[in-house]
Amino acid sequence: MPDTPTTETPLWLQGRDAVVAATAPESWRKKAPDYHLSETVMPQQRVTEHAAGSLEEIVETLVQVFEMEVSHNKDPKTWVSMVSEKFRTNFNGSPWADAKDLVEKGSYNVLIGDSIFYPAGAESFESSHHVFLDALSQGFFWEVLEVLSPPPTIAFKWRHWGVFDGEYKGFKPTGELVEMFGMSVATVTDDLKLLQVEHYYDPNAFLGKLTGGCPVARD
């Protein structure tokens, strides 16, 4: 009796730990990222639980791998979550950014843009990450809330959140849980690699919570 063919889950859908293990050490900006907070803190703070193998779980895993690669892997040629030579992204109809832009500017600068609460043009890749890592030291988590359409054009709602427990650009922490909500539309290949992602959300609604609605820090 012939063997039954099996379909192996692609690496980019196996989760961040699997991709970290498969990535060459020299590809990381500094060192391989550690996601222990996602395992210890995130489960208590998320508002959704996705069934194993559901489209929601698949999309969440893919976007988490994407975020990890653009934040920590300096070599787009080794990114597995996307077709890096074709990939582009924007937010709220802003100009398109490609993989090179993400490597040079950083995802925070590309996907937040200049704001009265966050001057992206004044931030480097490294400084932009420190701004949010310092302000949200327990983790800045992300989850899929709902998937509205299947591949190849996947529309989905999401939640991004953290506890404001560190200073943000001179503003003192409040210890509050701060959240942002949005929607994205991703175009993917047949094997679910990202080709294009459009994000729609109000960054100032989130950033305003870190500044008390005032763009100038006060003592």
Side-chain angles (χ1 to χ4, degrees), residues 164-216:
F164 182 23
D165 61 350
E167 189 172 292
Y168 175 78
K169 290 187 169 293
F171 291 90
K172 303 302 180 184
T174 64
E176 295 178 88
L177 181 73
V178 291
E179 303 171 288
M180 71 169 83
F181 297 89
M183 176 180 173
S184 299
V185 181
T187 304
V188 298
T189 61
D190 290 343
D191 57 356
L192 300 182
K193 283 194 173 190
L194 295 167
L195 291 169
Q196 174 178 299
V197 186
E198 300 171 84
H199 301 285
Y200 300 94
Y201 76 109
D202 181 2
N204 288 340
F206 170 76
L207 296 170
K209 296 175 183 176
L210 302 179
T211 63
C214 175
V216 180

Side-chain angles (χ1 to χ4, degrees), residues 151-172:
T153 304
I154 309 172
F156 55 97
K157 298 178 181 179
W158 49 262
R159 171 181 176 247
H160 209 354
W161 79 95
V163 174
F164 182 23
D165 61 350
E167 189 172 292
Y168 175 78
K169 290 187 169 293
F171 291 90
K172 303 302 180 184

Side-chain angles (χ1 to χ4, degrees), residues 92-165:
N92 299 342
S94 64
W96 292 104
D98 59 17
K100 181 181 178 182
D101 293 318
L102 291 172
V103 168
E104 295 178 352
K105 300 176 183 178
S107 56
Y108 287 121
N109 292 333
V110 167
L111 297 176
I112 294 177
D114 281 308
S115 160
I116 58 173
F117 302 115
Y118 180 80
E123 300 289 348
S124 66
F125 183 107
E126 290 77 12
S127 69
S128 67
H129 280 259
H130 282 299
V131 166
F132 292 100
L133 287 173
D134 290 345
L136 308 165
S137 69
Q138 295 180 45
F140 194 16
F141 306 112
W142 186 92
E143 66 178 328
V144 166
L145 297 177
E146 182 181 5
V147 175
L148 303 174
S149 61
T153 304
I154 309 172
F156 55 97
K157 298 178 181 179
W158 49 262
R159 171 181 176 247
H160 209 354
W161 79 95
V163 174
F164 182 23
D165 61 350

Side-chain angles (χ1 to χ4, degrees), residues 31-85:
K31 61 180 181 179
D34 176 4
Y35 287 97
H36 73 279
L37 290 174
S38 292
E39 298 171 0
T40 58
V41 178
M42 183 177 172
Q44 284 73 48
Q45 295 183 357
R46 64 180 301 145
V47 299
T48 58
E49 291 293 339
H50 304 311
S54 66
L55 188 53
E56 284 78 10
E57 183 194 53
I58 290 170
V59 172
E60 186 170 289
T61 298
L62 176 60
V63 176
Q64 287 176 338
V65 169
F66 162 80
E67 186 279 331
M68 178 193 71
E69 292 190 307
V70 301
S71 296
H72 299 284
N73 186 332
K74 63 187 177 183
D75 184 3
K77 294 179 182 178
T78 68
W79 293 353
V80 299
S81 60
M82 67 174 76
V83 182
S84 58
E85 64 272 21

